[in-house]
């Protein structure tokens, strides 16, 4: 089936600490895994993504790792800042080269305390 | 360079009515996907349009229908509205419809069914 599980549902950290959010995916995923950040009342914003030909990708304070054997991928945010507070969604791309959809995890509400 | 735009921003309807939501993709994109996001949940895939055809459909009833125009913009129509249709409706655009392609979201239309 098509399923993405995300944990934890809420995460509270002190400013400057690191935050890690984990997701697992079902077999049929296409090996494209984006992460979105959604602030209250706003659109989901693509912050980073990874494809199966790499195990890790970094963009400043954000990194994503992918473990294909275990079928899980994680978002790592270092040196967290209050503006990182938002809901984060992982997703898996399902389909083919001709058509695709994103299956989303349930979301993680990240709170960064000043 | 305009991003993905949607109209209207908010909409209030009563049960049994019909609604049409509109989406213009990001410049250079030719594919539009529609998602429904209930409060506190991740977006759920409704369908995807490419070359003016529905390419893939999620687990939504026939009351949900769509259209894509030659300029790549798209409409989502929902007939016989139910209370449970109240949600944020998001469209996402991409260049080509494949499962590996980045999808960028619009700001959404908040639909309330009374």
């Amino acid at each position: 089936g098509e399923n993405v599980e995300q944990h934890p549902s809420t995460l509270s950290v002190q400013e400057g600490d690191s935050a890690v959010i984990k997701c697992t995916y079902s077999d049929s995923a296409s090996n494209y895994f984006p992460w979105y950040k959604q602030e209250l009342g706003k659109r989901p914003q693509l912050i980073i993504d990874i494809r199966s030909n790499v195990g890790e990708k970094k963009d400043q304070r954000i990194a994503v790792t992918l473990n294909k054997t275990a079928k899980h991928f994680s978002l790592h945010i270092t040196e967290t800042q209050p503006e990182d507070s938002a809901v984060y969604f992982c997703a898996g791309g399902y389909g083919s080269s001709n058509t695709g959809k994103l299956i989303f995890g349930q979301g993680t509400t990240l709170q960064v305390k000043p | 360079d305009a991003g993905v735009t949607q109209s209207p921003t908010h909409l209030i309807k009563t049960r049994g009515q019909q609604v049409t939501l509109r989406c213009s993709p990001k410049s250079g994109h030719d594919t539009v996907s529609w998602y429904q996001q209930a409060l506190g949940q991740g977006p759920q895939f409704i369908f995807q349009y490419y070359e003016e055809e529905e390419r893939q459909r999620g687990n939504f009833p026939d009351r949900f229908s769509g259209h894509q125009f030659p300029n790549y913009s798209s409409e989502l129509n929902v007939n016989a509205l139910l209370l449970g249709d109240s949600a944020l409706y998001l469209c996402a655009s991409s260049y080509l419809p494949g499962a590996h392609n980045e999808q960028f979201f619009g700001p959404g239309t908040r639909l309330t069914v009374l």
Side-chain angles (χ1 to χ4, degrees), chain B residues 31-85:
Chain B
T31 303
V32 173
S33 301
W34 286 92
Y35 294 82
Q36 180 194 66
Q37 186 176 27
L39 205 59
Q41 305 289 322
Q44 292 207 346
F45 176 78
I46 303 174
F47 41 53
Q48 182 182 70
Y49 277 85
Y50 173 67
E51 293 186 329
E52 302 180 49
E53 291 183 353
E54 182 181 293
R55 284 305 188 96
Q56 189 174 182
R57 188 177 185 92
N59 189 25
F60 280 80
D62 291 345
R63 298 186 297 108
F64 289 77
S65 63
H67 188 79
Q68 186 180 35
F69 299 93
N71 67 352
Y72 309 122
S73 67
S74 177
E75 287 183 350
L76 164 65
N77 301 292
V78 187
N79 294 323
L81 285 166
L82 303 174
L83 295 180
D85 294 332

Side-chain angles (χ1 to χ4, degrees), chain A residues 10 20 38 43 56 62 69 76-78 96 99 104 113:
Chain A
T10 60
V20 180
Q38 188 174 30
R43 73 185 75 193
E56 183 177 8
I62 293 174
T69 303
H76 305 253
I77 305 174
T78 58
S96 67
T99 183
F104 284 83
K113 300 181 203 172

Side-chain angles (χ1 to χ4, degrees), chain A residues 45-62:
Chain A
Q45 180 186 5
L46 178 65
I47 56 172
I48 196 168
D49 57 18
I50 191 167
R51 292 176 171 79
S52 63
N53 57 339
V54 296
E56 183 177 8
K57 184 176 178 181
K58 285 185 179 179
D59 183 4
Q60 300 182 338
R61 297 185 297 108
I62 293 174

Side-chain angles (χ1 to χ4, degrees), chain A residues 2 30-32 36 38 41-44 46 49 51 89 93-106, chain B residues 3-4 33 35 37 40-45 48 55-58 88 90 97-107:
Chain A
E2 300 168 343
S30 71
N31 296 321
Y32 171 64
Y36 289 86
Q38 188 174 30
K42 297 198 174 178
R43 73 185 75 193
L46 178 65
D49 57 18
R51 292 176 171 79
F89 291 98
Y94 285 80
S96 67
S97 59
N98 295 319
T99 183
K101 60 186 174 185
L102 295 177
I103 301 296
F104 284 83
Q106 298 90 334
Chain B
V4 182
S33 301
Y35 294 82
Q37 186 176 27
Q41 305 289 322
Q44 292 207 346
F45 176 78
Q48 182 182 70
R55 284 305 188 96
Q56 189 174 182
R57 188 177 185 92
L88 180 66
L90 296 161
H100 294 81
N101 298 325
E102 297 173 340
Q103 294 189 24
F104 295 89
F105 283 87

